[in-house]
Amino acid sequence: MERCPGEKTVMTTHGEESSPKAKIIAPDIDVDAFKYFSRTLQTLLSSDVAKYAFAQIADGLPTSRVFDDYSMEYRDDIEDRLDPSEASMILVEEFCLEFRPETLRIDAQVAQAYQDAQPDSREFNMRLLELVATVIHELAIDLYQALHPNGARQLATVMNTTGNIGEGIMMPDLRHPHYLNMSKYPHGAMEVVGYWAEAQILGGVILFDRGGSGRECKRAFIHPGRFATSIIQLSPTQVELFATLGREENATENLHQVCPFSPEDDAERYSDNNNFALNIYRDAYERNPRIVETLRCVRPAEPDLIKACQELVARNEAERNRSKDS
């Protein structure tokens, strides 16, 4: 299988070197499997949720509501952004209409696992979800890079996973707060846009119980935004419903019942501090678990972290007030 230009070796969270991801063109997949995947993907891209997310990527900025879901920072250039720009909505509408899945280059290992699964089986449904999430992730990165070739803006302050304040960290404004492990991502800082897009379109970053081999899809999970600290399991029914999006007769009819995924009332939840210990992830390099003390069930916040949060909130409030006065 041919390796795509520009691919680089990445490091796992344990410091091990992972192999570069080989890519294949989508039509290399078995004909029937490709058609099913293609219908599923195109159904998702036709949704208002997907178009709204991709229009924000085209703008390079989130709407104020979406930004508030992911950040405590005040931004006067985002405060009044209630919707994506009209130009970006038109651009994305045209993109979705003209999109051809056969032009995609897909992770060869993910594609092979999907093709090997027996149609209409639980494994097939899981692998379909894995493939679609991977492709949405890559499409978001490709669109951002194409329209914003100069990359990300520079943030003044970013709070990292240990509660420390970092200065001048470069990253896009479209980001999931738990997926900022940029030094280890194949696309560097641009990769955060892919995780953000998954959360917008699918309800969270899609993860799996990888089992002992690190390659299985035993169970599926979402890792939502909104400062969520829980990884939430999708029920077999939710995954089965997702797979119906590839059926010609009822794809769009079921779309509003399927995506974005929402946690069921009795869904299993796991702390995002120990998901790697439970083999729950998609790629081993995707994030570093937050560092916490586990000797006690309830642990008070560290004074330095409380102070840092208070200072950040106070600074944002002051900026907001100055903006209103000017």
Side-chain angles (χ1 to χ4, degrees), residues 131-180:
L131 181 58
V132 169
T134 300
V135 169
I136 286 176
H137 183 103
E138 293 290 333
L139 280 175
I141 296 169
D142 290 346
L143 181 61
Y144 188 91
Q145 289 180 320
L147 298 178
H148 310 285
N150 294 327
R153 77 178 196 90
Q154 182 168 330
L155 294 177
T157 58
V158 174
M159 185 174 293
N160 65 24
T161 55
T162 61
N164 298 318
I165 298 295
E167 296 293 333
I169 299 176
M170 299 289 289
M171 70 177 74
D173 290 309
L174 306 161
R175 58 184 180 272
H176 189 296
H178 299 297
Y179 292 81
L180 305 175

Side-chain angles (χ1 to χ4, degrees), residues 100-285:
R100 297 293 178 267
E102 57 268 20
T103 64
L104 290 170
R105 295 185 69 85
I106 299 175
D107 184 313
Q109 183 174 294
V110 174
Q112 188 67 58
Y114 167 66
Q115 179 173 284
D116 290 345
Q118 184 68 30
D120 296 324
S121 68
R122 179 179 175 279
E123 178 72 6
F124 180 87
N125 296 342
M126 287 286 190
R127 294 299 183 178
L128 175 66
L129 176 58
E130 180 186 29
L131 181 58
V132 169
T134 300
V135 169
I136 286 176
H137 183 103
E138 293 290 333
L139 280 175
I141 296 169
D142 290 346
L143 181 61
Y144 188 91
Q145 289 180 320
L147 298 178
H148 310 285
N150 294 327
R153 77 178 196 90
Q154 182 168 330
L155 294 177
T157 58
V158 174
M159 185 174 293
N160 65 24
T161 55
T162 61
N164 298 318
I165 298 295
E167 296 293 333
I169 299 176
M170 299 289 289
M171 70 177 74
D173 290 309
L174 306 161
R175 58 184 180 272
H176 189 296
H178 299 297
Y179 292 81
L180 305 175
N181 207 18
M182 296 171 288
S183 65
K184 296 179 181 178
Y185 291 155
H187 297 284
M190 300 302 103
E191 195 92 27
V192 304
V193 179
Y195 292 113
W196 176 88
E198 285 182 56
Q200 296 300 305
I201 298 169
L202 299 172
V205 176
I206 300 297
L207 310 176
F208 297 94
D209 179 347
R210 290 305 197 184
S213 69
R215 296 183 178 182
E216 300 169 66
C217 286
K218 299 172 72 173
R219 295 176 294 166
F221 303 82
I222 53 172
H223 195 183
R226 279 190 170 274
F227 308 103
T229 58
S230 291
I231 289 170
I232 304 163
Q233 184 174 339
L234 297 176
S235 70
T237 300
Q238 287 179 294
V239 178
E240 288 170 12
L241 273 174
F242 177 82
T244 65
L245 299 181
R247 297 176 186 165
E248 289 182 291
E249 66 274 13
N250 59 358
T252 53
E253 185 179 307
N254 285 346
L255 182 57
H256 71 282
Q257 303 173 29
V258 179
C259 286
F261 290 115
S262 296
E264 294 186 344
D265 292 340
D266 58 349
E268 293 286 342
R269 297 169 186 262
Y270 299 86
S271 169
D272 63 6
N273 288 316
N274 61 359
N275 60 295
F276 284 100
L278 299 172
N279 297 319
I280 298 172
Y281 54 88
R282 192 159 80 236
D283 295 297
Y285 57 75

